Amino acid sequence: MATQMAEPAVSATQDTAPDSVVVRFAGDSGDGMQLTGGQFTLSTALAGNDLATFPDFPAEIRAPQGTLFGVSAFQINFGSREISTAGDAPDVLVAMNPAALKVNVGALKPGGLIIADSGEFTKRNLEKAKYDTNPLEDGSLAQWNVLAFDISALTIEAVKPFGLGNKDALRCKNMWTLGLALWMFDRDRQPLIDWLNTKFKTKPDIAAANIAALNAGHAYGETAELSGPLKKLHIDPVPAAPGLYRTITGAESVSLGLVAGAQLAGLEMFFGGYPITPASSILHYLVRLKEFGVTTFQAEDEIAAICAAIGASYAGSLGVTSSSGPGIALKTEAMGLAIMTELPLVIVNSQRGGPSTGLPTKTEQSDLYQAVYGRNGDAPMPVIAARSPSDAFDCAIEACRIAVEYMTPVMLLTDGYIANAAEPWKVPDPETFEPFKVKFLEEKNAGDTLLPYKRDEKGARPWIKPGTPGLMHRIGGIEKKVDTGNIDYSPENHQAMTDARKAKIDNIAVPDQQVTLGEASGALAVVGWGSTYGPIRRAVDNARKKGLAVSHIHVRHIHPLPANLGDLLRRFDHVLMPEMNTGQFKTVIRDQLLVDAVSLTKTSGQPFQIAELDAAIAKFFDGIADNEGGDVPANRQQLPTPESGHDDGSLKAGGDAQ
């Protein structure tokens, strides 16, 4: 984590300097690429650049060294302008071995820079990476600039004074590489040196060796007589409003937002969790926040975790649980219990590729059906989706507010990209948040009678702490009688209670939907939710600069939908919905608003690229122009037919995005 006080910025951008650069570090899963990327992110934040990151690592705990499926990568896009995605094609690829090169080189921009550790391009490693010849020597990399030198040998030489064996010495080569990257982009080494001293304070020799490697990599850039592509580049700070900034990941943001939400409600928080990628980080982070009234519990399984959280809510705390798709499936029955008992509960779903175990470390948006519809019986539940790591903070507070004000479980959707990615976040002033203090029922609410299911103007029943004198009541998963909460199987009562639970959720007051970018009407609305925000925003901005009548609408409240959303979408001639699934939100929109739309779908485990969305938007306008004799129509009732071959009117994203 990096913090920085931003002052009103004065632009001093050099004429020759780009306004953004994309760098990808890639190596074996034991090479420390995530740590390298994280520390480069810290230095970038301290330099005042805007940034977005994309950690991409294998699902295997420790894949065989040097293999293609064991490659770990970390991409960062940083610059002197607003950054909303981790970037499409890297400008610089740091490849620590042949497998890292083979897996990642196809994404590199033509003319981009490859920095390779030639010491790892041995015959055995080349065979593991399925190379017949050494790509550093056979001319196959001619379209890129290549800088190859023996980073392994240089690292061993740098740490020799500390008496480390070769195996331990090579563990420092990520720091050597980081030192070179710090020199390339004019970064200060001192924060990294301070971090190493803190991390290895009980092992000063290891700290000193890593610092020596860091300094050696930096010195190599300073002193080696290198010609060609390796140059020092300074990226100016991004103009920013004054305030305290820090880097934040989605997992950290959710955790802080949950704590803030509990504080605004005047409650202690209980978090019941069970480890699962990529949701585990929330438990790890909340463990360190006990001073804010947070109790964390690592249960024996997912079912125990959510049931413990429901028990905590029954006892008067804010119950929270978290998981990913497979764990959310296990929690489903208990979600129904929380809906039937009408207790507040926040469920965080960090989505990943599925079904089943699927792609544990890759990102997807394929749990939307599960969130909105995936429970037995008529079991309506509010669903909120965060659009970015920093946005997850506000979404977590909103989830807490709805949970306690409407006495209901709420699902907060993030995904693997949001959970692991980092971006700058302006730390908000706590005084700007309006509290929503909980009031527990402390006396009978119907004269001399207690009605535990008597509803207020929002449709919420009272929250009663166990042990409150005179307020003993029945609670559980069997259908309750209207008002009294007694067991009642009668058809009329079940109809009434089902209607009441549905009406409570349907009538939740959510803000009207705003247009994120562009006009409130036009030829095309690109509608997204969740982590597609960044690439959609950039693509729509690109299209608008070309004069196209396109707008971006990004939906936070998935269920219930904003009351004005249907009317807003009907002001546009066409609606395009990019999703990292097979078109789930499109189905929800068609179902609830009777608004037609075309999906742009992607289920590769990777986020959308801006270029894919650029191509999809361009195809829409090309199709409109072809159908209308070259002019974009002011009003059309039918969407242009996608040339994708899909009979559901959907487009597929890919290298040749349609």
Side-chain angles (χ1 to χ4, degrees):
M1 184 270 286
T3 60
Q4 178 198 15
M5 288 298 297
E7 301 297 337
V10 177
S11 177
T13 306
Q14 300 171 6
D15 293 339
T16 58
D19 60 3
S20 67
V21 176
V22 180
V23 178
R24 183 180 297 182
F25 300 92
D28 190 75
S29 56
D31 284 339
M33 292 297 95
Q34 303 306 317
L35 185 146
T36 302
Q39 294 308 306
F40 187 77
T41 299
L42 183 148
S43 70
T44 300
L46 291 174
N49 300 130
D50 199 8
L51 64 95
T53 71
F54 177 48
D56 189 17
F57 41 86
E60 290 78 11
I61 293 174
R62 188 66 175 90
Q65 190 170 2
T67 57
L68 296 172
F69 55 88
V71 172
S72 177
F74 186 102
Q75 182 163 308
I76 177 171
N77 182 11
F78 60 98
S80 56
R81 60 166 175 81
E82 179 184 354
I83 301 294
S84 57
T85 77
D88 285 5
D91 299 287
V92 179
L93 170 64
V94 179
M96 304 300 285
N97 62 14
L101 178 65
K102 188 162 194 176
V103 169
N104 292 282
V105 72
L108 189 64
K109 287 180 182 177
L113 173 62
I114 298 170
I115 299 176
D117 180 4
S118 60
E120 289 294 317
F121 281 68
T122 62
K123 183 176 184 298
R124 183 179 181 187
N125 283 346
L126 289 167
E127 289 173 351
K128 287 181 180 179
K130 312 299 183 185
Y131 275 120
D132 295 326
T133 59
N134 189 338
L136 302 181
E137 301 171 352
D138 63 9
S140 61
L141 305 178
Q143 63 177 302
W144 299 289
N145 293 300
V146 180
L147 186 63
F149 44 87
D150 197 336
I151 295 175
S152 298
L154 291 167
T155 302
I156 291 172
E157 182 66 25
V159 302
K160 184 183 293 184
F162 303 96
L164 301 181
N166 277 7
K167 183 177 180 180
D168 289 333
L170 287 174
R171 289 176 179 168
C172 300
K173 71 177 182 177
N174 62 332
M175 287 296 108
W176 194 101
T177 307
L178 180 58
L180 179 63
L182 295 180
W183 173 82
M184 285 181 63
F185 297 103
D186 196 19
R187 300 282 185 257
D188 184 8
R189 282 168 288 162
Q190 192 58 47
L192 282 305
I193 292 172
D194 294 341
W195 175 80
L196 286 166
N197 282 324
T198 301
K199 181 176 176 63
F200 296 109
K201 62 182 177 182
T202 61
K203 299 177 180 179
D205 288 345
I206 299 298
N210 277 280
I211 292 169
L214 181 79
N215 289 334
H218 193 277
Y220 188 85
E222 284 183 320
T223 61
E225 293 184 1
L226 298 170
S227 61
L230 189 65
K231 298 179 176 65
K232 190 171 186 177
L233 180 65
H234 177 78
I235 305 293
D236 285 340
V238 67
L244 176 65
Y245 288 78
R246 59 160 291 182
T247 55
I248 197 165
T249 67
E252 292 173 333
S253 183
V254 166
S255 302
L256 292 172
L258 291 170
V259 173
Q263 294 284 312
L264 291 168
L267 299 172
E268 293 189 343
M269 190 181 93
F270 176 92
F271 181 89
Y274 183 78
I276 183 171
T277 303
S280 303
S281 299
I282 296 174
L283 173 59
H284 301 162
Y285 197 77
L286 286 172
V287 165
R288 304 196 293 268
L289 300 177
K290 294 178 181 178
E291 66 269 28
F292 296 103
V294 178
T295 298
T296 53
F297 170 57
Q298 181 174 314
E300 64 269 28
D301 56 43
E302 297 281 10
I303 299 171
I306 187 172
C307 288
I310 292 171
S313 289
Y314 171 63
S317 294
L318 177 59
V320 181
T321 191
S322 173
S323 192
S324 299
I328 295 295
L330 291 171
K331 296 178 188 289
T332 299
E333 182 182 0
M335 290 182 208
L337 175 62
I339 290 168
M340 176 63 82
T341 56
E342 300 188 52
L343 286 169
L345 178 71
V346 177
I347 305 141
V348 183
N349 182 355
S350 301
Q351 300 167 95
R352 68 190 205 186
S356 187
T357 307
L359 307 175
T361 61
K362 308 303 179 184
T363 194
E364 209 163 87
Q365 293 180 301
S366 52
D367 293 351
L368 190 69
Y369 287 159
Q370 183 184 43
V372 177
Y373 304 117
R375 290 163 293 282
N376 68 294
D378 279 294
M381 186 168 71
V383 179
I384 299 170
R387 70 186 191 186
S388 67
S390 59
D391 184 57
F393 176 82
D394 295 311
C395 289
I397 292 176
E398 177 71 348
C400 294
R401 181 191 70 82
I402 291 175
V404 299
E405 288 188 354
Y406 291 88
M407 292 295 286
T408 179
V410 179
M411 185 172 289
L412 172 58
L413 295 176
T414 69
D415 58 39
Y417 175 61
I418 290 176
N420 295 319
E423 65 180 4
W425 176 55
K426 184 180 178 183
V427 179
D429 181 356
E431 298 299 323
T432 62
F433 292 95
E434 184 176 348
F436 38 88
K437 297 293 184 183
V438 168
K439 293 183 179 180
F440 293 96
L441 188 65
E442 296 181 348
E443 57 186 18
K444 293 176 180 176
N445 57 351
D448 294 332
T449 304
L450 171 64
L451 297 178
Y453 281 81
K454 180 181 178 182
R455 302 182 184 279
D456 62 15
E457 68 282 358
K458 295 179 178 178
R461 77 174 188 90
W463 195 354
I464 307 170
K465 280 189 180 181
T468 303
L471 301 189
M472 184 182 295
H473 61 287
R474 181 178 281 107
I475 195 167
I478 298 177
E479 184 62 281
K480 305 294 178 293
K481 185 176 178 59
V482 172
D483 291 342
T484 70
N486 297 328
I487 294 173
D488 191 330
Y489 297 150
S490 69
E492 298 82 3
N493 181 75
H494 182 54
Q495 182 72 59
M497 289 296 279
T498 300
D499 291 345
R501 288 188 290 263
K502 182 177 186 300
K504 178 176 70 172
I505 304 306
D506 288 346
N507 293 326
I508 289 174
V510 303
D512 280 350
Q513 182 64 49
Q514 304 297 316
V515 177
T516 305
L517 181 64
E519 308 302 325
S521 62
L524 176 65
V526 184
V527 180
W529 66 278
S531 63
T532 57
Y533 172 82
I536 293 176
R537 180 178 174 84
R538 282 295 308 278
V540 169
D541 187 48
N542 292 342
R544 289 181 60 79
K545 288 176 180 176
K546 297 175 183 177
L548 300 178
V550 57
S551 297
H552 175 198
I553 296 171
H554 216 77
V555 182
R556 170 184 284 183
H557 291 272
I558 305 297
H559 185 72
L561 291 166
N564 71 325
L565 182 59
D567 290 338
L568 178 59
L569 295 183
R570 278 185 277 271
R571 296 177 195 165
F572 293 88
D573 304 321
H574 311 292
V575 177
L576 175 65
M577 302 188 71
E579 297 183 76
M580 292 185 292
N581 56 45
T582 56
Q584 295 184 19
F585 193 44
K586 177 200 71 175
T587 302
V588 172
I589 291 295
R590 285 179 169 179
D591 166 37
Q592 298 189 23
L593 302 179
L594 299 179
V595 171
D596 203 2
V598 168
S599 286
L600 177 67
T601 64
K602 180 173 183 174
T603 54
S604 65
Q606 300 291 317
F608 271 102
Q609 293 189 348
I610 300 166
E612 292 171 333
L613 298 172
D614 284 340
I617 293 171
K619 187 175 182 66
F620 258 97
F621 283 93
D622 289 345
I624 293 171
D626 290 343
N627 291 336
E628 297 293 327
D631 294 324
V632 176
N635 207 346
R636 281 182 59 90
Q637 299 303 314
Q638 298 297 322
L639 292 160
T641 303
E643 300 172 6
S644 61
H646 299 283
D647 58 10
D648 63 348
S650 64
L651 304 171
K652 293 290 181 181
D656 53 349
Q658 301 182 40

